[in-house]
Amino acid sequence: MSGSRAARLSADSPFRTRLRAYLAERFPLLGHGVLIVSYYSSNQFLAKALTYPGEPMRYGAHSILGAITLFCFFLHLRVFDEHKDFEEDSRHYPERVLQRGLIRLRDLRVLGAAAIAIEIALSSVRGSAALVALLLALGFSLLMLKEFFIRAWLKRHFLVYATSHMLIMPLLALMVYSFTTQSYPWTAPGWFWVYAFVGFFVTFNWEVSRKIRAPEQELEGVDSYSKIFGTYGAAYVVIAIRVVDTAMVAAVGYHLGLSIWFYVALVALFALCLVGFFQYLRHTSAKTAKRLETYAGMYIIAFDLILAVEIARKFGIVGLG
């Protein structure tokens, strides 16, 4: 739904229309669907390649169960974020659908509770290992909601705040591992743990990228990485993180013996991020700052897809089963 259409909504508009406007603004279904497919595929294929070497890849009923669970997990994380950030967002972003009262926190609580119920049900169907992995990630998300019971301290340490919240990503990768192999997350091979933490760095890169502002964009009382590291220092942090996560992905590919084309694709992705970096340095503006976020988001999806496709090419894929 476009911003202009959302602006015309009122509390008397049909609930489904208001909910659709909220989701379009804060949880785009198509974008998250593409993210889930790429993220789940890469982690599933890697789990299988490491646990059952030489066997072909396949999607099965467990893939659907796991992907829906992951989608619901991201949805409940969004609901949690809306609750813990509501007062601050109301001060700085009063135009949002939630802050205008078109959707209420009470509505989101129902949505979040339904998402969590689905997660527990589907992981239970898959088995005890998947359920345990889900409960570990769910427990961590509840700590995130409570901001680890040190909210005031974390608010004063913005970088620690962000880092602590990004640690959910390795737990989600391990959840995919358990859905795929029906093994407990702590039994995952070392190289899977490496890739699990690639998710941490890739998401952290996006988190930094989306909170870089041109000087004229900075808001009083709203934290940004350009405030912490400087207008240009934050962009260098983005590139530094990108070097780390790209090197880690390349190391996983080397361990699996993937083809030269895998590395060519990684270099191309890295070069695209460099383009955004230099554009921001040369012409610092709201447009080039936004471009850093866009390229970081593209990288999240693209590198997962590249790994999934290359693993399937190397070991074969036999379709559904």
Side-chain angles (χ1 to χ4, degrees), residues 3-59:
S4 59
R5 290 181 63 187
R8 293 196 296 269
L9 292 176
S10 71
D12 294 326
S13 301
F15 176 76
R16 65 178 180 276
T17 304
R18 291 182 278 123
L19 179 61
R20 189 162 61 245
Y22 168 79
L23 292 173
E25 180 182 74
R26 303 295 285 155
F27 194 83
L29 298 180
L30 178 60
H32 279 81
V34 173
L35 173 65
I36 296 304
V37 170
S38 61
Y39 182 83
Y40 199 92
S41 295
S42 64
N43 282 281
Q44 173 184 283
F45 287 1
L46 180 61
K48 189 167 179 60
L50 292 172
T51 307
Y52 309 108
E55 291 191 13
M57 302 299 112
R58 70 172 70 239
Y59 291 106

Side-chain angles (χ1 to χ4, degrees), residues 212-215 218 225-227 229-235 280-281 284:
I212 291 178
R213 308 279 187 263
E218 299 286 10
Y225 290 98
S226 41
K227 283 184 180 179
F229 298 110
T231 300
Y232 303 113
Y280 178 76
L281 292 187
T284 306

Side-chain angles (χ1 to χ4, degrees), residues 39-208:
Y39 182 83
Y40 199 92
S41 295
S42 64
N43 282 281
Q44 173 184 283
F45 287 1
L46 180 61
K48 189 167 179 60
L50 292 172
T51 307
Y52 309 108
E55 291 191 13
M57 302 299 112
R58 70 172 70 239
Y59 291 106
H62 64 84
S63 307
I64 298 173
L65 294 179
I68 294 173
T69 300
L70 190 60
F71 182 87
C72 289
F73 199 99
F74 278 119
L75 178 58
H76 99 238
L77 285 180
R78 166 49 50 202
V79 171
F80 282 8
D81 280 350
E82 297 289 19
H83 279 77
K84 66 187 181 64
D85 298 334
F86 181 76
E87 291 184 7
E88 185 175 326
D89 287 346
S90 295
R91 288 195 301 271
H92 300 296
Y93 307 106
E95 75 285 355
R96 288 180 178 172
V97 170
L98 178 62
Q99 276 62 43
R100 290 166 56 197
L102 301 180
I103 288 292
R104 297 166 296 179
L105 288 177
R106 174 170 78 183
D107 301 322
L108 295 185
R109 279 196 290 273
V110 173
L111 187 64
I116 291 172
I118 292 170
E119 294 163 32
I120 294 173
L122 295 184
S123 58
S124 298
V125 169
R126 182 55 178 160
S128 60
L131 178 60
V132 167
L134 178 277
L135 292 177
L136 288 173
L138 178 58
F140 193 85
S141 75
L142 289 169
L143 289 175
M144 290 166 58
L145 173 63
K146 296 299 183 181
E147 297 187 314
F148 303 96
F149 302 99
I150 49 172
R151 177 182 176 87
W153 185 87
L154 282 177
K155 287 296 183 181
R156 295 195 301 270
H157 299 82
F158 185 51
L159 192 58
V160 178
Y161 179 97
T163 303
S164 65
H165 284 59
M166 290 303 104
L167 288 172
I168 191 68
M169 296 309 298
L171 293 175
L172 294 182
L174 291 167
M175 186 175 74
V176 178
Y177 170 83
S178 292
F179 264 90
T180 302
T181 65
Q182 292 186 294
S183 299
Y184 291 100
W186 51 83
T187 67
W191 281 105
F192 192 89
W193 281 90
V194 171
Y195 194 71
F197 275 90
V198 169
F200 165 82
F201 284 106
V202 169
T203 309
F204 192 30
N205 180 282
W206 174 77
E207 171 69 13
V208 175

